[in-house]
């Protein structure tokens, strides 16, 4: 390592964690304060903007400490500013003694940003959608999510007391707005089957009947048709593709 | 397809808040002096949705410059080649003729792992650093297949290990790397106050043939001898005077207004845009008269 690089690393080590690392010699402490503040505040602002509920649940002091820990100990490897919250999310998985509901809440808060910026991909849809005999297609910018807690109901006053399986479809509509739909377990499983295995609506529904050992397969088909119609109406399903 | 020649007149740093206003006023003569816009690739690369739609709108209507923040030309960790390849693709996709970066570093290595700091930190002014940074600039230019320009950066702490002053360092890097200069007028002023040197003297020593365009911006005064380059205030008279001197010395080069925080409504920014345009016109006329 070159001399000037040794200085650079001492310089950034102090900015990252001023309590643990002394500033390089012969620099005015007051001048160094500018870097200590602007660099941390930039990251603190970017992370805080993405996770307002986590911040609120933890309280200002604990939140600040957590972001400082992120900045001090975690080497973020993406040069893209939008991805700072994602780096923070990865860091959270390394934090000991952090409640699982907080990790999941953070993921839920991050998803809005992720889906809003998810890249556009083109799907070659059939001219006439046929959701039962072809593969129903969700709009490409979406995430199908399962959480152990009702993450969308958490606030400082409503901390989760128990496990409550929660299924969400988060997607970006044609107007580029991010929408959240809470799903029941069956709908989640239906969409999951379609997506994972590239099944037609009908195939996925018969698989569902099989898995549930449901006696009335017609009822399940009717259920499926209704669900599809609703998701089309909400702009989550945009059409279908041939097998 | 825009070329370097289309980066002319006055530009404006593109912030999200300004986008709907520019779109609304696009056919209005009041924004006629905005000739080009500048974006940070780190804010736009890889984004779909609204950001992609907005970018496409501007690509069709304005010449664009990419002004990077995270390449970390002076960083102790290896140059991020994957990122640079993505930048190259981004420039091509969006018909962007120019990429500029800062003469600074924004990443480090701790416990053997590289990581981003997401801010511009000052490189110590040493011989070793000149060679190191120049080599990385050349590597960047080779990979992109085009010249880049580097910006003289504002800073607040002078490294005790420095063996030369800022202008010597800047000129040494420019000539060793053979790259262009993205001249920041406000940064000259800010540094001249923070480190007590003569801004005009700095200006005189710049290689005019390397200037591609310049920045002007406002800053925050924390103490009589301490300015912070916030891009959050109006441009002060002394910075206008320095821009005027630069035009007088080098001719009226393209100039872009940066405003990153406390962003006022567009019509207020247009005062400064129009003022730059008027100053450029004045110097063009003087030059024509002298010829």
């Amino acid at each position: 390592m070159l001399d000037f690089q040794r200085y650079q690393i001492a310089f950034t080590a102090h900015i990252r964690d001023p309590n643990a690392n002394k500033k390089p010699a012969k620099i005015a402490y007051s001048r160094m304060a500018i870097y200590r503040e602007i660099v941390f505040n930039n990251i603190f602002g970017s992370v805080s903007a993405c996770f307002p509920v986590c911040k609120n649940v933890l309280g200002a002091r604990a939140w600040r400490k957590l972001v400082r820990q992120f900045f001090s100990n975690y080497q973020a490897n993406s040069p893209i500013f939008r991805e700072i919250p994602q780096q923070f999310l990865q860091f959270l998985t390394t934090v000991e003694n952090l409640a699982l509901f907080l990790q999941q809440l953070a993921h839920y808060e991050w998803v809005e940003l992720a889906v809003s910026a998810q890249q556009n991909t083109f799907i070659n849809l059939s001219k006439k959608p046929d959701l039962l005999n072809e593969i129903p297609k969700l709009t490409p910018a979406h995430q199908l999510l399962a959480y152990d807690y009702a993450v969308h109901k958490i606030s400082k006053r409503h901390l989760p007391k128990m496990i409550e399986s929660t299924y969400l479809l988060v997607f970006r509509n044609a107007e580029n707005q991010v929408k959240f739909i809470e799903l029941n377990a069956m709908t989640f499983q239906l969409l999951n089957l379609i997506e994972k295995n590239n099944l037609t609506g009908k195939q996925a529904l018969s698989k569902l009947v099989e898995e549930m050992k449901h006696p009335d397969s017609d009822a399940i088909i009717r259920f499926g048709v209704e669900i599809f119609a609703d998701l089309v109406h909400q702009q989550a399903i945009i059409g279908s593709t041939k097998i | 397809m825009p070329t370097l020649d289309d980066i002319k007149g006055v530009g404006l740093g593109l912030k999200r808040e300004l986008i709907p206003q520019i779109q609304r006023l696009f056919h209005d003569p009041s924004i006629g002096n905005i000739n080009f816009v500048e974006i940070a690739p780190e804010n736009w690369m890889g984004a779909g949705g609204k950001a992609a739609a907005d970018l496409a709108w501007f690509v069709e209507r304005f010449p664009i410059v990419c002004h990077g923040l995270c390449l970390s030309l002076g960083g102790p960790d290896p140059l991020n080649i994957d990122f640079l390849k993505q930048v190259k693709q981004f420039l091509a996709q969006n018909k962007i003729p120019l990429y500029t970066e800062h003469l600074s570093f924004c990443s480090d290595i701790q416990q053997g792992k590289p990581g981003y700091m997401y801010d511009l930190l000052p490189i110590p002014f040493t011989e070793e650093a000149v060679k190191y940074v120049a080599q990385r600039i050349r590597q960047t230019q080779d990979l992109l297949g085009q010249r880049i320009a580097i910006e003289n950066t504002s800073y607040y702490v002078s490294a005790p290990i420095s063996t030369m002053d800022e202008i010597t360092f800047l000129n040494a890097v420019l000539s060793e790397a053979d790259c262009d200069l993205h001249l920041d007028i406000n940064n000259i002023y800010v540094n001249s106050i923070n480190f007590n040197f003569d801004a005009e003297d700095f200006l005189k020593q710049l290689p005019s043939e390397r200037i591609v365009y310049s920045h002007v911006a406002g800053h925050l005064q924390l103490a009589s001898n301490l300015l912070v380059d916030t891009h959050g205030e109006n441009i002060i008279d002394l910075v206008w005077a320095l821009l005027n001197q630069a035009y007088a010395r080098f001719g009226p080069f393209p100039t872009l207004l940066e405003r990153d925080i406390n962003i006022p409504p567009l019509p207020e920014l247009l005062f400064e845009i129009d003022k730059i345009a008027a100053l450029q016109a004045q110097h063009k006329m003087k030059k024509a008269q002298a010829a």
Side-chain angles (χ1 to χ4, degrees):
Chain A
M1 187 170 289
L2 302 168
D3 280 347
F4 83 94
Q5 292 179 319
R6 258 189 285 278
Y7 166 85
Q8 285 179 305
I9 285 168
F11 186 77
T12 60
H14 176 68
I15 295 172
R16 285 182 185 275
D17 191 352
N19 292 328
N21 307 302
K22 277 193 181 145
K23 67 173 179 60
K26 297 183 204 158
I27 291 177
Y29 193 79
S30 61
R31 282 290 178 100
M32 205 57 215
I34 297 177
Y35 286 108
R36 283 194 299 268
E37 280 167 29
I38 58 175
V39 182
F40 179 70
N41 287 346
N42 184 25
I43 285 165
F44 184 77
S46 164
V47 174
S48 299
C50 185
F51 304 102
V53 185
C54 287
K55 182 181 175 184
N56 204 261
V57 164
L58 275 176
R61 187 176 294 183
W63 177 252
R64 206 175 170 82
K65 214 174 135 191
L66 190 64
V67 180
R68 172 60 77 178
Q69 201 184 330
F70 166 61
F71 182 46
S72 303
N73 303 333
Y74 191 80
Q75 293 294 100
N77 63 14
S78 168
I80 305 297
F81 290 116
R82 181 178 63 250
E83 290 175 0
I84 297 175
Q86 190 181 350
Q87 308 272 318
F88 182 74
L89 209 56
Q90 284 163 12
F91 153 77
L92 286 185
T93 64
T94 70
V95 177
E96 282 170 29
N97 301 325
L98 191 71
L100 179 64
F101 87 82
L102 257 171
Q103 305 234 13
Q104 297 201 350
L105 171 64
H107 186 276
Y108 165 74
E109 291 202 270
W110 165 76
V111 155
E112 180 169 7
L113 172 75
V115 171
S116 76
Q118 211 165 314
Q119 272 194 326
N120 308 331
T121 44
F122 177 76
I123 304 179
N124 199 4
L125 296 169
S126 299
K127 285 214 174 67
K128 245 184 133 182
D130 183 347
L131 304 175
L132 286 179
N133 297 304
E134 295 188 347
I135 304 163
K137 283 289 167 190
L138 289 165
T139 181
H142 78 268
Q143 294 212 26
L144 193 55
L145 301 158
Y147 294 107
D148 299 317
Y149 296 94
V151 284
H152 56 311
K153 293 179 190 158
I154 298 175
S155 70
K156 201 175 176 93
R157 290 182 157 201
H158 293 97
L159 297 181
K161 293 194 179 66
M162 54 185 150
I163 297 271
E164 184 183 343
S165 294
T166 298
Y167 306 100
L168 297 171
L169 173 63
V170 184
F171 67 99
R172 194 170 74 215
N173 70 14
E175 285 81 50
N176 286 321
Q177 295 156 326
V178 176
K179 299 283 178 186
F180 290 75
I181 301 177
E182 190 178 352
L183 308 173
N184 56 36
M186 205 149 72
T187 307
F188 174 79
Q189 184 56 5
L190 175 63
L191 295 178
N192 208 22
L193 281 169
I194 293 170
E195 217 167 47
K196 290 266 158 65
N197 309 310
N198 253 340
L199 301 180
T200 67
K202 247 188 201 155
Q203 286 169 337
L205 286 161
S206 11
K207 193 121 203 263
L208 206 56
V209 170
E210 221 175 276
E211 282 180 5
M212 295 170 65
K213 301 196 173 65
H214 201 281
D216 185 355
S217 59
D218 285 352
I220 296 289
I221 299 282
R222 282 197 302 277
F223 157 80
V225 170
E226 264 175 48
I227 293 292
F228 289 151
D230 180 49
L231 291 175
V232 168
H233 177 71
Q234 300 204 51
Q235 297 185 15
I237 289 181
I238 53 169
S240 60
T241 58
K242 299 209 165 29
I243 309 166
Chain B
M1 167 124 184
T3 66
L4 257 186
D5 292 336
D6 295 305
I7 309 303
K8 61 186 177 194
V10 190
L12 177 62
L14 195 60
K15 304 302 288 185
R16 302 235 191 254
E17 297 88 329
L18 297 171
I19 289 172
Q21 303 182 63
I22 297 174
Q23 289 177 329
R24 211 166 34 243
L25 289 176
F26 182 62
H27 292 292
D28 193 291
S30 69
I31 68 159
N33 279 327
I34 303 177
N35 294 114
F36 66 102
V37 297
E38 181 192 271
I39 60 175
E42 293 84 354
N43 281 329
W44 297 84
M45 279 166 58
K50 176 134 189 357
D54 285 342
L55 181 58
W57 191 90
F58 278 89
V59 167
E60 276 179 30
R61 291 166 180 82
F62 288 92
I64 299 177
V65 179
C66 260
H67 182 50
L69 293 160
C70 288
L71 186 59
S72 200
L73 282 168
D77 54 329
L79 202 58
N80 189 337
I81 299 296
D82 282 343
F83 169 64
L84 207 45
K85 285 180 181 162
Q86 287 165 34
V87 169
K88 183 176 184 171
Q89 205 179 9
F90 181 78
L91 298 175
Q93 268 165 4
N94 295 293
K95 303 172 186 145
I96 297 173
L98 178 62
Y99 175 52
T100 75
E101 250 292 350
H102 293 85
L103 186 51
S104 65
F105 73 106
C106 87
S107 57
D108 68 350
I109 303 176
Q110 303 290 347
Q111 283 107 42
K113 276 175 75 181
Y116 284 97
M117 303 288 289
Y118 302 106
D119 235 310
L120 305 172
L121 306 172
I123 306 168
F125 305 144
T126 71
E127 287 292 344
E128 258 179 355
V130 168
K131 294 219 162 59
Y132 179 84
V133 178
Q135 188 276 328
R136 284 161 68 109
I137 295 171
R138 285 197 303 270
Q139 194 184 349
T140 301
Q141 297 188 136
D142 286 348
L143 198 145
L144 294 178
Q146 68 185 54
R147 288 171 75 84
I148 66 165
I150 52 167
E151 181 188 315
N152 54 307
T153 312
S154 54
Y155 64 107
Y156 313 107
V157 165
S158 91
I161 62 167
S162 287
T163 54
M164 59 185 93
D165 59 7
E166 185 192 350
I167 185 68
T168 310
F169 181 72
L170 175 63
N171 281 333
V173 171
L174 287 168
S175 81
E176 177 97 14
D178 189 19
C179 67
D180 288 324
L181 173 61
H182 182 172
L183 179 62
D184 192 306
I185 301 289
N186 183 57
N187 290 351
I188 299 179
Y189 180 77
V190 164
N191 292 349
S192 77
I193 298 298
N194 290 349
F195 300 104
N196 194 25
F197 65 77
D198 186 311
E200 203 181 341
D201 188 51
F202 186 99
L203 199 66
K204 278 182 200 159
Q205 298 177 64
L206 290 169
S208 66
E209 70 284 359
R210 293 189 189 270
I211 300 172
V212 277
Y213 76 110
S214 77
H215 274 165
V216 278
H219 55 255
L220 186 69
Q221 178 149 22
L222 287 189
S224 63
N225 64 349
L226 183 54
L227 307 180
V228 180
D229 182 28
T230 53
H231 304 166
E233 314 286 324
N234 291 339
I235 300 167
I236 66 160
D237 286 346
L238 287 167
V239 171
W240 283 117
L242 200 57
L243 180 66
N244 190 32
Q245 282 166 17
Y247 283 169
R249 181 167 291 275
F250 306 126
F253 42 73
T255 299
L256 180 132
L257 174 68
E258 289 183 294
R259 185 71 179 242
D260 294 336
I261 53 168
N262 299 329
I263 301 175
L266 184 59
E268 224 172 289
L269 288 184
L270 289 172
F271 281 120
E272 292 185 327
I273 299 265
D274 291 346
K275 193 165 168 178
I276 299 168
L279 203 58
Q280 289 175 336
Q282 225 179 73
H283 282 275
K284 235 178 240 164
M285 211 152 75
K286 267 190 208 158
K287 223 171 136 185
Q289 280 166 354

